[in-house]
Amino acid sequence: MDITKMLSGIRIDQSSSAPMYLQLANGLAAKIQNSTLSAGTKLPPERELVKLLEVSRTTIINAYRLLEERGLIITRVGSGTYVAEPSFTNQSSATILWEQLFTPQYKSPLSSLLRTLIATPTADETISLAAGMPDPAFYPLSIIEKALVSSKYDLEVSDFGHMTTEGYLPLRHSLAAWQSSLGIQAAPDQFLVASGSQQGLYLIVKAFVEPRDYVIVESPTYLGAIQALEASGARILTLPPSDSVNFEMLEDYLIRYRPKLMYTIPTFQNPTGRVMSLHDRQELIRLASRYRLVIIEDDPYSQLYYGQQPPPSLKSLDTYGGVIYMGTFSKILFPGLRTGWVIAAPQVINRLAQEKQHIDLHSNSLSQIILHTCLEEDYLANHLATVRMEYKKRRDAMVGAIRRFCSGYMNFNIPEGGFYLWCSITPPASGAELIRRAATVGVSFVPGEAFYTNGTKSNEIRLCFATHNEELLKEGIRRLGRIFASGAANAAQPSDLAGKPII
Amino acid sequence: MDITKMLSGIRIDQSSSAPMYLQLANGLAAKIQNSTLSAGTKLPPERELVKLLEVSRTTIINAYRLLEERGLIITRVGSGTYVAEPSFTNQSSATILWEQLFTPQYKSPLSSLLRTLIATPTADETISLAAGMPDPAFYPLSIIEKALVSSKYDLEVSDFGHMTTEGYLPLRHSLAAWQSSLGIQAAPDQFLVASGSQQGLYLIVKAFVEPRDYVIVESPTYLGAIQALEASGARILTLPPSDSVNFEMLEDYLIRYRPKLMYTIPTFQNPTGRVMSLHDRQELIRLASRYRLVIIEDDPYSQLYYGQQPPPSLKSLDTYGGVIYMGTFSKILFPGLRTGWVIAAPQVINRLAQEKQHIDLHSNSLSQIILHTCLEEDYLANHLATVRMEYKKRRDAMVGAIRRFCSGYMNFNIPEGGFYLWCSITPPASGAELIRRAATVGVSFVPGEAFYTNGTKSNEIRLCFATHNEELLKEGIRRLGRIFASGAANAAQPSDLAGKPII
C-alpha cells in the first residue's frame, strides 16, 4: 500500500495541544479501527515517516510504542511493524468485566420505561401521545433572552458562579412570593431549589426512606415516584383508585404499618387526572396530623386548570407542618430547565441540602436566574393564560375525536386540568399488546401497567393531549380507532411489560 | 384594638387564584405570628368583617376555622374569637420530630465544609483565597447570549424539552471532537453529560462502591471526593504525598486489598498542584491494566497551564479501557453551568445513566446548548488563551507577595497550572487556628486538614490565586503576613476542624 495513501487525512498540527506522537498514533488508530489499514499491513519504517511528516524520530517511536501498547500493531524484530489482528484490537474494551464490578441494582419491571419515554422522538411520523411533555411550540424562548439580558443589569455577574446548595436566594424569595399568592406561606429558608422535582423526590427518599420502610401511594400513580420508592427498598402500600380517599383503609395502614410517608398528587393526578376534594384534603390533613404522617405533595399540574380552579394545596392547609411540597415549572415552561423546588420545615430543607451537596453542589444557576426573572417580571401569568386556553382546546379535541373514532371502546372521565386522559379499554386488552399494535399504525401512548406497582395488570392507557395540536391529536386518535375497529384488541392477551420496549 | 388597624395591610384579591378565605386567614396568621395581634386579642365578629371586607360570611367562617385548626386562634362559645397563646401558635412547627424520621447519615469531620466554602461571600471586605472559583470578571456572559441567539437558528425548539439521560446528543458529538483534539478518542455513546463533575463522581461511586469496599486516593486530595467516597462507606487507602507515584505501595494495595477503584487528579492536582509525569502515567496504566484496576481520572485543570503543556491524560494513554475520565468547564467558564461529563466504556455509561435517571432525569438543557455552541463556534479557544495569561500573572503576583510578606514562614512549589498554591507553614501551626487568626485580619483560605482523610493533622494551607486580581492578591498575602509577624502562628496549637466554621 502506498505510504502517502496510508497517511492520507492524518494531520500533525504542531500548534495543537495534543502531543504530536498522540496525533499520529490516533490518526493511525482510526485507520486501523475502520479497516482502512487492514490486519497484516506493513507500516512505513520510522525514518520514512520522519522525512514525510517532518517530525522527530522520537515522535514516530512514541506513536508506534503507544499503538503497540493498545494492541493495534505488532513489531516483528528485524522485519518491521504490522497492523495486528482484530482479535487483539478489540481486546481493550473487553479486558474489564464491568458487570462484576457494579453494585447490585434494583430492577423494576418498569426499569428504563421512563427513559424510553423521554427518548421517544415526537417529531417523526409516529404521533406520540405518550410522554407528558408540554408542546415545544409554547416554550417561551423570548423569556430566556429577556431574562438574561435584563439579568445583565440587575444581577451580579458572580450569580453565575457557585451558589449555596439551597438555591439562588433571589429565586427563593420570588418563589416564596409566588407561592404565597397561591396560599402557601413559607419563608425562603423553607425552600430548596432542586434540579427538577424528580431530584426533589430523590432527595426526600434519600433523607427519609430506609429499606423495608413502609410508604403509601395512590394507585395508579406517577411512574417516576414508584421507581424512586422501590429503588430505595421501601415496601409500598397502595390506596385503590377511587373518587374519594378511602380514609378507613388509610387509617388502618397508619395504625398497622406506621408508614414513613405518603406520596400523593392531589391535583390533576398523574395518570388519572383526578382532583382530591377540599373536604378530603382537610380530612387527610386532620388524619395525618393525628398520626404525625409526613405527606409528600407532588404538584406539577395545579396551575394547568381548564375549568374551575382546583382546591387549595395540602401545604396551604397544613396545620401540623408535616407536608413536604414539591413544585416545578417543567410542565409550564421548559422541561429542560430542570428546576423544581421543595417547601418544607427548615430542618428538612437543611437535611435535603446536605444530601444534594454530594450530588451536584447546587442546581444550575442560569435556569434559576431565568425563573427568577420570569417571576419578577410576571411573564408567567400571561404564559399560563395562553397555555390554559390552548390545552383546554386540545383536551376537548381529543375527547371529541375519541367519541368519533373510538366510541364504545374507551371509557374515561374528562379531566378539569393537567395533561392526561386516562382511558379504560373495552373489551379489556393488555396495554403492552395495544402499544405494539399502535406502533404499526403510527401512534403511541403509555400503557396502564406503567402506573401500578409490582406489575399489576391493567386495561387502561394514558393519553397526553398537551404535546400536539388539535389536528395531530385527531389523527392520532383516528389511528387508534383503527386498532379497535380491526378487532385487534380483542385478540390481545394481557401480558406484562417487563423487557418490552414501549415504542 | 381598632378593627381597621387590625386588618390594615390585609388585601382580599378577588382575582387571585388563592381562595379568599385563605387570603384572609394567611393575612391574619402573619399578624399573629409577628405579634401585631397579640395573644388574647379579641378578633372582630364575622358580620363586621363581612361588611368591612365585602366578602361572604362563609369566607369569614372558613378563614376562622382554618386559623383555629392551625392553633392560632380559639373560639369561646358565646364570647367570641381570640388570638391563642404563643404556646399553641408554635405547635405546628414542633409537632413532627424530624430527626427521628431521618435516615442515618454519614458525618465526616469535614461535613459541610464544602458548602461553607461555596457559601462564603467573596465580595465583602474579607479577601477569600479559599474557594476554588474562577474570577467572575472572566465569565464570558456574551457567550451565553450568542449561544442562545444562534441556537434559535440551528437548534430545534424541542431541544429545550426533555432529552435522553445521557445528555444532549449534539453536545456529546462536539465534546467527542474536542476531546479527540486533546488525545482522547471516544464515540458519543461513551459520553455521559452530568450536572457538574461532582455529579459524575457521585454516579460513579453509586455504581461501583459498596460499604467496606476499598478505594485508593492520593493524599492530600479533593475534599469533595473524600466526602463522596466516605459517605458511600468505602474504606480509603491513601498514597502519601510525593513527586512520583509510589508504585511499590500501590501494587501492594492492589494485591492485598483488591480495591474497587483508584481516584486521581493527575494534572495540577488539587490541592498540591502536582503533575504526574508521563513516565508515571504510562507505568500506572501498565499496572492498572495488569490488575484490572478501575481508574477515575478527575481532570478539571489540565487546560489551565501557564508554562509547558502537561502530559497527555491517563484516558488518552488507556490501553485496557479501565480509565473513567471526568471533565468539566466549571473552572474555565462558569461554575454555575453545572455541566461536566464522564467518558467511559458504553456499559459503564449505560449504568451511570440508569442511576442518573432517578436523580434528575437529565442535566439542564440550556447549559448543554450553550456549551455545545461554545465548542462549535470555538469561543473556548480564545477564552482559554485569555485566562491562561491572566491566571499566570496572578500566580506570579501571589508568589512575589509571599516572598515579600511571608518569607521564612511559608514553603511551596510553584505550580505550572491550576488554581492553587499549596504552602506548608513554618513553624507548624494548625490550619484551623490560622484560619481564625486570618479572619481577624480579613483574609481566608482552606486549611490543609480539609484535604486529608480521617482528620489527619496538617501544617499546610491552600491558597487560590484565580479568583482575585493581582492587587487584591497582594493585599490578601500582606494581611496573611501580619499573622506570622505577630507570631500568632507559633502560639497556635494543632487542633482538628470538626464543627469549626471555616470563615
Side-chain angles (χ1 to χ4, degrees):
Chain A
M1 186 186 204
D2 168 6
I3 176 166
T4 52
K5 205 180 275 141
M6 272 192 198
L7 301 176
S8 71
I10 296 182
R11 307 250 160 286
I12 308 291
D13 173 3
Q14 312 249 3
S15 69
S16 155
S17 59
M20 288 189 287
Y21 82 92
L22 253 185
Q23 297 180 50
L24 175 58
N26 289 327
L28 288 169
K31 285 172 171 293
I32 292 171
Q33 268 140 358
N34 68 26
S35 309
T36 318
L37 294 176
S38 53
T41 311
K42 181 173 188 187
L43 293 175
E46 290 153 7
R47 63 193 178 296
E48 285 190 34
L49 283 178
V50 169
K51 271 203 253 88
L52 206 74
L53 299 170
E54 294 165 336
V55 295
S56 76
R57 185 142 183 279
T58 346
T59 303
I60 313 294
I61 293 173
N62 288 337
Y64 277 9
R65 185 174 298 147
L66 180 55
L67 287 170
E68 197 158 14
E69 278 184 354
R70 289 188 188 168
L72 290 171
I73 64 174
I74 44 178
T75 306
R76 304 215 181 88
V77 184
S79 150
T81 311
Y82 300 81
V83 176
E85 293 301 323
S87 54
F88 294 94
T89 62
N90 301 336
Q91 194 180 40
S92 57
S93 58
T95 45
I96 291 208
L97 302 169
W98 292 106
E99 290 302 331
Q100 297 183 355
L101 296 177
F102 289 147
T103 54
Q105 184 186 20
Y106 152 81
K107 287 236 188 287
S108 113
L110 307 178
S111 280
S112 84
L113 183 55
L114 201 56
R115 274 169 67 215
T116 321
L117 290 179
I118 288 171
T120 304
T122 51
D124 67 1
E125 65 290 336
T126 290
I127 299 174
S128 170
L129 308 176
M133 292 247 295
D135 185 343
F138 296 144
Y139 296 165
L141 290 194
S142 62
I143 285 185
I144 295 182
E145 270 178 275
K146 285 207 191 122
L148 291 175
V149 172
S150 55
S151 301
K152 299 239 299 298
Y153 304 108
D154 50 35
L155 289 165
E156 292 289 313
V157 65
S158 59
D159 289 333
F160 293 87
H162 279 308
M163 55 178 63
T164 51
T165 306
E166 290 82 351
Y168 183 51
L169 189 57
L171 174 61
R172 283 184 281 150
H173 276 281
S174 49
L175 281 172
W178 191 67
Q179 289 289 12
S180 134
S181 79
L182 300 176
I184 298 178
Q185 301 299 317
D189 72 342
Q190 292 169 273
F191 282 75
L192 174 102
V193 178
S195 305
S197 54
Q198 178 72 32
Q199 186 184 60
L201 183 58
Y202 180 85
L203 294 172
I204 293 166
V205 169
K206 209 162 183 315
F208 286 96
V209 182
E210 290 177 88
R212 287 177 305 288
D213 279 347
Y214 285 98
V215 297
I216 303 173
V217 303
E218 294 145 344
S219 179
T221 189
Y222 170 53
L223 144 70
I226 295 175
Q227 288 188 314
L229 289 166
E230 286 184 339
S232 75
R235 289 182 288 198
I236 299 184
L237 305 166
T238 55
L239 292 171
S242 151
D243 289 333
S244 62
V245 180
N246 183 333
F247 287 106
E248 296 63 34
M249 179 182 269
L250 176 56
E251 186 154 22
D252 183 55
Y253 282 159
L254 296 178
I255 294 166
R256 205 185 291 275
Y257 302 103
R258 300 220 156 283
K260 231 6 174 353
L261 54 84
M262 169 175 174
Y263 170 85
T264 177
I265 309 169
T267 309
F268 308 133
Q269 203 252 4
N270 177 7
T272 64
R274 283 207 190 83
V275 176
M276 192 186 295
S277 70
L278 178 56
H279 168 274
D280 279 6
R281 289 171 196 239
Q282 288 163 331
E283 193 52 42
L284 177 57
I285 291 294
R286 245 187 297 276
L287 198 62
S289 164
R290 189 174 322 129
Y291 289 93
R292 302 289 183 267
L293 170 67
V294 175
I295 294 178
I296 313 302
E297 177 179 31
D298 193 358
D299 187 32
Y301 303 106
S302 62
Q303 286 312 295
L304 295 166
Y305 52 83
Y306 314 130
Q308 73 184 133
Q309 244 179 62
S313 63
L314 290 169
K315 185 62 182 169
S316 64
L317 301 169
D318 182 2
T319 56
Y320 69 116
V323 177
I324 301 178
Y325 178 92
M326 303 201 305
T328 176
F329 287 135
S330 289
K331 305 296 186 187
I332 298 174
L333 297 170
F334 318 88
L337 283 186
R338 307 307 307 127
T339 306
W341 60 95
V342 176
I343 307 176
Q347 309 96 298
V348 176
I349 295 301
N350 178 51
R351 171 61 190 264
L352 297 183
Q354 288 173 37
E355 299 293 344
K356 181 173 169 60
Q357 175 204 332
H358 293 304
I359 292 173
D360 58 12
L361 297 187
H362 61 83
S363 290
N364 181 283
S365 53
L366 271 181
S367 296
Q368 296 189 63
I369 289 166
I370 289 167
L371 288 182
H372 170 61
T373 318
C374 291
L375 289 166
E376 284 298 286
E377 307 200 357
D378 211 20
Y379 292 129
L380 203 57
N382 309 330
H383 185 68
L384 273 170
T386 313
V387 292
R388 280 180 194 134
M389 198 177 59
E390 283 303 321
Y391 291 150
K392 180 182 199 303
K393 283 192 210 143
R394 293 175 179 202
R395 177 200 62 183
D396 298 342
M398 182 179 268
V399 167
I402 290 176
R403 294 198 170 132
R404 177 162 164 210
F405 299 114
C406 307
S407 72
Y409 297 116
M410 292 166 73
N411 300 320
F412 55 88
N413 298 317
I414 300 178
E416 287 300 305
F419 274 10
Y420 313 110
L421 227 55
W422 180 243
C423 312
S424 62
I425 306 299
T426 50
S430 133
E433 179 58 27
L434 275 177
I435 279 286
R436 282 188 294 281
R437 306 266 179 182
T440 65
V441 298
V443 62
S444 70
F445 48 80
V446 185
E449 285 95 324
F451 304 96
Y452 290 94
T453 52
N454 47 57
T456 314
K457 296 285 171 290
S458 153
N459 68 329
E460 294 135 320
I461 63 175
R462 191 194 75 176
L463 302 174
C464 173
F465 55 78
T467 317
H468 300 294
N469 64 39
E470 301 169 42
E471 284 323 301
L472 274 173
L473 288 176
K474 282 177 193 157
E475 172 57 18
I477 298 299
R478 199 182 57 73
R479 295 179 183 182
L480 208 51
R482 283 204 249 127
I483 308 173
F484 295 113
S486 73
N490 311 36
Q493 291 314 311
S495 64
D496 80 37
L497 256 187
K500 291 177 193 134
I502 269 306
I503 280 100
Chain B
M1 186 186 209
D2 167 6
I3 176 167
T4 51
K5 206 181 271 140
M6 272 190 196
L7 300 175
S8 71
I10 297 182
R11 305 249 162 286
I12 308 292
D13 173 2
Q14 312 248 6
S15 67
S16 156
S17 58
M20 287 189 287
Y21 83 92
L22 252 185
Q23 297 180 50
L24 175 58
N26 289 327
L28 289 168
K31 286 172 172 292
I32 293 170
Q33 268 141 357
N34 68 27
S35 308
T36 319
L37 294 176
S38 53
T41 311
K42 181 173 187 186
L43 294 175
E46 291 154 5
R47 61 192 179 296
E48 285 189 33
L49 283 178
V50 170
K51 273 201 256 94
L52 207 75
L53 299 170
E54 294 164 336
V55 295
S56 75
R57 185 140 183 280
T58 346
T59 303
I60 313 294
I61 292 172
N62 289 337
Y64 277 6
R65 186 175 296 148
L66 181 55
L67 288 170
E68 197 159 14
E69 277 184 354
R70 290 189 188 167
L72 290 171
I73 64 174
I74 43 177
T75 306
R76 303 214 182 90
V77 184
S79 150
T81 311
Y82 300 81
V83 176
E85 292 302 321
S87 54
F88 294 92
T89 64
N90 300 336
Q91 194 179 41
S92 57
S93 59
T95 45
I96 292 208
L97 302 168
W98 293 105
E99 289 302 331
Q100 297 183 356
L101 296 176
F102 290 146
T103 54
Q105 183 186 22
Y106 154 81
K107 289 235 186 286
S108 112
L110 307 178
S111 280
S112 86
L113 184 53
L114 201 56
R115 274 168 69 214
T116 320
L117 289 179
I118 289 171
T120 304
T122 51
D124 67 2
E125 65 290 337
T126 289
I127 299 174
S128 170
L129 308 175
M133 291 248 295
D135 185 343
F138 296 146
Y139 295 166
L141 289 194
S142 62
I143 285 185
I144 295 183
E145 270 177 277
K146 284 204 190 127
L148 291 176
V149 172
S150 55
S151 302
K152 295 239 299 295
Y153 304 108
D154 49 34
L155 289 165
E156 293 289 314
V157 65
S158 60
D159 289 334
F160 293 87
H162 279 308
M163 54 178 62
T164 52
T165 307
E166 290 82 352
Y168 182 51
L169 191 55
L171 174 60
R172 283 184 282 150
H173 275 282
S174 49
L175 281 173
W178 191 66
Q179 288 289 12
S180 136
S181 79
L182 300 176
I184 297 178
Q185 301 297 317
D189 72 342
Q190 293 170 273
F191 282 76
L192 174 102
V193 178
S195 305
S197 53
Q198 178 73 32
Q199 188 184 59
L201 183 58
Y202 180 85
L203 295 172
I204 293 165
V205 169
K206 209 160 180 320
F208 286 95
V209 184
E210 291 177 87
R212 288 177 303 286
D213 279 349
Y214 284 97
V215 298
I216 303 174
V217 303
E218 295 146 343
S219 178
T221 190
Y222 170 54
L223 147 69
I226 296 176
Q227 288 187 315
L229 290 167
E230 286 184 340
S232 75
R235 289 183 286 198
I236 299 182
L237 306 165
T238 56
L239 292 171
S242 150
D243 288 332
S244 62
V245 180
N246 183 333
F247 287 106
E248 296 62 36
M249 179 181 270
L250 176 56
E251 186 154 23
D252 183 56
Y253 282 159
L254 295 178
I255 295 165
R256 204 185 292 276
Y257 302 103
R258 300 221 158 282
K260 233 1 172 3
L261 54 84
M262 169 175 175
Y263 170 86
T264 176
I265 309 168
T267 310
F268 308 132
Q269 203 251 3
N270 176 7
T272 64
R274 282 206 190 82
V275 176
M276 192 186 294
S277 70
L278 179 56
H279 168 273
D280 280 6
R281 291 171 194 238
Q282 288 164 331
E283 193 51 42
L284 176 57
I285 291 293
R286 246 186 296 276
L287 197 64
S289 165
R290 189 176 321 130
Y291 289 92
R292 303 290 184 265
L293 171 67
V294 175
I295 294 178
I296 313 301
E297 176 178 32
D298 193 359
D299 188 31
Y301 303 106
S302 63
Q303 287 311 295
L304 295 166
Y305 52 84
Y306 313 130
Q308 72 183 135
Q309 245 179 60
S313 63
L314 290 168
K315 185 62 183 169
S316 64
L317 300 169
D318 182 1
T319 56
Y320 71 116
V323 177
I324 301 178
Y325 178 92
M326 302 200 305
T328 176
F329 288 134
S330 289
K331 305 296 187 187
I332 298 173
L333 296 170
F334 318 88
L337 283 185
R338 307 308 305 128
T339 306
W341 60 93
V342 175
I343 307 176
Q347 308 97 298
V348 175
I349 294 301
N350 178 52
R351 171 60 190 263
L352 297 183
Q354 288 172 38
E355 299 293 345
K356 181 173 169 61
Q357 176 204 327
H358 293 303
I359 292 174
D360 59 11
L361 298 186
H362 60 82
S363 290
N364 182 281
S365 53
L366 272 181
S367 295
Q368 297 190 63
I369 288 166
I370 289 167
L371 288 183
H372 170 61
T373 317
C374 290
L375 289 165
E376 284 300 286
E377 307 198 358
D378 210 21
Y379 293 129
L380 203 57
N382 309 330
H383 184 68
L384 273 170
T386 314
V387 292
R388 280 180 194 133
M389 196 177 62
E390 282 303 320
Y391 291 150
K392 180 183 200 300
K393 283 193 213 145
R394 294 176 177 201
R395 176 200 61 183
D396 298 341
M398 183 180 267
V399 168
I402 291 176
R403 294 199 171 131
R404 176 163 164 212
F405 299 114
C406 307
S407 74
Y409 297 116
M410 293 166 73
N411 301 319
F412 56 88
N413 298 316
I414 299 179
E416 287 300 306
F419 273 10
Y420 313 109
L421 226 56
W422 179 243
C423 312
S424 62
I425 307 299
T426 49
S430 133
E433 179 58 27
L434 275 177
I435 279 284
R436 282 189 294 281
R437 306 265 179 184
T440 65
V441 296
V443 61
S444 71
F445 49 80
V446 185
E449 286 96 324
F451 304 95
Y452 291 93
T453 53
N454 48 56
T456 314
K457 296 284 169 294
S458 153
N459 67 327
E460 294 134 322
I461 63 175
R462 190 193 75 176
L463 302 175
C464 173
F465 55 77
T467 318
H468 300 294
N469 64 38
E470 302 169 43
E471 285 323 300
L472 274 173
L473 288 177
K474 282 178 195 157
E475 173 56 18
I477 298 299
R478 199 182 58 74
R479 295 179 183 181
L480 209 50
R482 280 203 252 130
I483 308 174
F484 295 114
S486 73
N490 312 35
Q493 290 314 311
S495 65
D496 80 36
L497 255 187
K500 289 174 193 136
I502 268 306
I503 280 97

